Amino acid sequence: AGKCGKVLPEHIDYEKSSVSFRVPLDVATSSKGNPPDSTFPYGFGLLYSGPLSVDTSQELKSLSNPELHSLPDRMTLKEAAEKADFNAEHYGMDYIQFMIDKLGLKLSDLSPVKPLTDEQRYRASAIVSEKPKQRDLIKSISEHRPVMLGMFDILLAIAYDRLTNNNELNEANSHINIQRISATLSFFVEFSTVEALLRSFYRRSCTYPFYRNKDLTQLCVETLIERVRATNNRKEWLTQELFHAYDAFKTTDCAILNHYYIKDYIRYVELALDEELLMQIVTELEAALPEVHPEPLGFGEENVVQRLLKDVITQDSDSYVTDSDDYESPVSLSDESGADDDEDDDDASSEKELSNENVLEKLMNLKLSS
């Protein structure tokens, strides 16, 4: 038997009396035999096993020990976390604000699809060629559907980040948006149906990011469908989208996800992409969206929205009555009807502005728990 080499510490923190080591990442292969009963595979194509190589931040809402949980258990943990983390007041406020001004977002200003830069092409080529064994494993994948659904889960999270950040990478929140919204990247789950994927995206996009609205979620899905169909070179477009996540993660606590997922998906797109299945899933997404969109999220959010709407409408009504009593004009109805059109337009505009001000004031007074 060969001798084990010395393992030197990577970092020593004398103040905290702690020592950290870098442990090589293992790839689960059939030659290694079956993993112990207490561990489960995870990551891209379930190719990885053993503990995660680094501890992920609790702030990132991530399952830090996927090897201890089966796929059904991970899904259960994911849904329990979503229920615990959902903020009904935040969701309700965004629901109303979206009706007023689309949350202040420029949702129609996405720039056209651009080709990969020379630097991105070089980086993609380097990623594809850097691990021969990984290339062989990816080429030998037989069950493409769960792998493809996982990629769409990530692409939807990227679509959300692009739509809410003016199509730019935001160093402050892009990594959090993508990692939290994608259940694949946060709980290492696998999806078997498009409907399950969509429901997960709806729940998470209305729970974790700053802007939480189902219509915004719907727009993300529609935008992704449109982009996939519009591009002439789907492999290149997919690679560019994956690089958006790669660049968002590379200098953050999410960097380890580039190893477990993003780089493998870049390899997958180049080496094993099934374009027929890709377009089939796009068609399924389009067909499932009208069914999933009106469904409740499952958090009892409808009652909160109705209560907030009732409060806002009541306040608007009270404000309007008070203003009418305080400033009622002695001019008769016949005199009012003789006013010029410009004055009527000004009154209508003022009333609309007053209504918006009342709604905004109500929203500002809402107490949101962090």
Side-chain angles (χ1 to χ4, degrees):
K3 295 181 179 180
C4 295
K6 294 181 179 180
V7 179
L8 300 177
E10 183 183 47
H11 176 70
I12 301 176
D13 190 328
Y14 293 99
E15 293 184 0
K16 297 181 179 179
S17 299
S18 65
V19 181
S20 60
F21 299 86
R22 177 169 291 278
V23 180
L25 298 167
D26 289 333
V27 176
T29 64
S30 57
S31 62
K32 293 184 179 181
N34 296 326
D37 293 339
S38 60
T39 65
F40 300 90
Y42 57 90
F44 172 88
L46 301 180
L47 295 180
Y48 298 88
S49 63
L52 290 176
S53 62
V54 294
D55 293 331
T56 53
S57 171
Q58 289 296 320
E59 183 183 350
L60 297 177
K61 307 291 182 185
S62 178
L63 183 66
S64 60
N65 52 356
E67 78 283 357
L68 300 182
H69 303 280
S70 66
L71 286 173
D73 287 346
R74 291 174 207 166
M75 191 67 73
T76 300
L77 290 170
K78 175 190 83 74
E79 293 175 355
E82 291 162 358
K83 186 173 183 179
D85 295 335
F86 182 76
N87 186 317
E89 294 288 320
H90 189 150
Y91 176 81
M93 184 187 77
D94 281 5
Y95 180 94
I96 297 172
Q97 190 69 46
F98 191 88
M99 292 191 297
I100 298 171
D101 64 357
K102 306 298 183 186
L103 294 167
L105 299 171
K106 298 179 180 178
L107 299 177
S108 60
D109 288 351
L110 277 182
S111 60
V113 177
K114 298 179 181 178
L116 288 173
T117 64
D118 290 340
E119 179 188 0
Q120 287 175 325
R121 293 181 193 279
Y122 174 80
R123 290 162 62 196
S125 176
I127 289 172
V128 170
S129 61
E130 69 183 358
K131 290 187 176 181
K133 182 182 292 187
Q134 198 76 346
R135 293 203 309 269
D136 294 339
L137 288 171
I138 290 173
K139 288 179 180 179
S140 65
I141 289 176
S142 58
E143 292 293 331
H144 285 263
R145 188 172 181 83
V147 173
M148 192 79 77
L149 289 175
M151 183 171 70
F152 270 91
D153 180 51
I154 296 170
L155 291 173
L156 285 169
I158 294 170
Y160 172 94
D161 184 67
R162 285 192 180 277
L163 277 172
T164 57
N165 279 319
N166 294 321
N167 208 34
E168 299 290 337
L169 187 68
N170 187 319
E171 293 183 0
N173 65 25
S174 284
H175 64 292
I176 296 175
N177 284 339
I178 298 169
Q179 191 268 344
R180 286 191 182 185
I181 294 173
S182 169
T184 300
L185 298 177
S186 52
F187 276 84
F188 302 88
V189 299
E190 275 197 354
F191 296 101
S192 57
T193 68
V194 162
E195 290 78 10
L197 165 62
L198 274 179
R199 291 187 180 101
S200 175
F201 177 56
Y202 265 82
R203 286 167 62 95
R204 298 189 71 79
S205 63
C206 291
T207 299
Y208 293 110
F210 183 72
Y211 301 109
R212 307 173 186 181
N213 183 270
K214 287 177 67 176
D215 290 335
L216 177 58
T217 301
Q218 181 185 37
L219 183 58
C220 291
V221 181
E222 293 171 344
T223 300
L224 177 61
I225 292 171
E226 178 185 346
R227 284 296 176 91
V228 174
R229 285 181 169 162
T231 182
N232 294 324
N233 189 332
R234 294 192 179 98
K235 282 189 175 183
E236 185 167 290
W237 180 82
L238 289 169
T239 300
Q240 187 176 64
E241 292 301 285
L242 291 168
F243 265 125
H244 183 87
Y246 180 90
D247 290 336
F249 291 163
K250 64 182 181 182
T251 59
T252 71
D253 288 339
C254 298
I256 195 63
L257 296 173
N258 281 337
H259 170 82
Y260 287 118
Y261 283 105
I262 305 302
K263 292 170 74 174
D264 280 338
Y265 269 116
I266 291 174
R267 297 183 185 107
Y268 175 77
V269 167
E270 179 62 31
L271 301 172
L273 180 68
D274 185 338
E275 290 206 39
E276 183 177 348
L277 178 59
L278 176 80
M279 298 312 297
Q280 178 183 331
I281 291 177
V282 167
T283 301
E284 292 176 13
L285 279 172
E286 189 173 41
L289 186 58
E291 173 189 345
V292 174
H293 179 71
E295 292 179 353
L297 298 172
F299 304 128
E301 73 282 355
E302 311 98 311
N303 296 331
V304 176
V305 169
Q306 291 301 318
R307 174 174 60 80
L308 292 177
L309 284 173
K310 183 178 179 181
D311 289 348
V312 170
I313 293 171
T314 301
Q315 186 190 46
D316 286 347
S317 177
D318 292 344
S319 298
Y320 180 75
V321 170
T322 301
D323 291 342
S324 299
D325 292 341
D326 291 344
Y327 302 104
E328 184 175 0
S329 171
V331 179
S332 65
L333 290 176
S334 60
D335 291 335
E336 288 179 354
S337 64
D340 57 46
D341 293 338
D342 291 341
E343 185 175 347
D344 289 340
D345 292 340
D346 291 342
D347 290 341
S349 177
S350 298
E351 183 178 333
K352 182 178 180 181
E353 290 176 3
L354 175 63
S355 177
N356 283 346
E357 287 174 0
N358 290 333
V359 173
L360 290 173
E361 182 180 358
K362 180 66 178 180
L363 295 174
M364 293 295 292
N365 290 332
L366 286 175
K367 294 182 179 180
L368 300 180
S369 57
S370 58

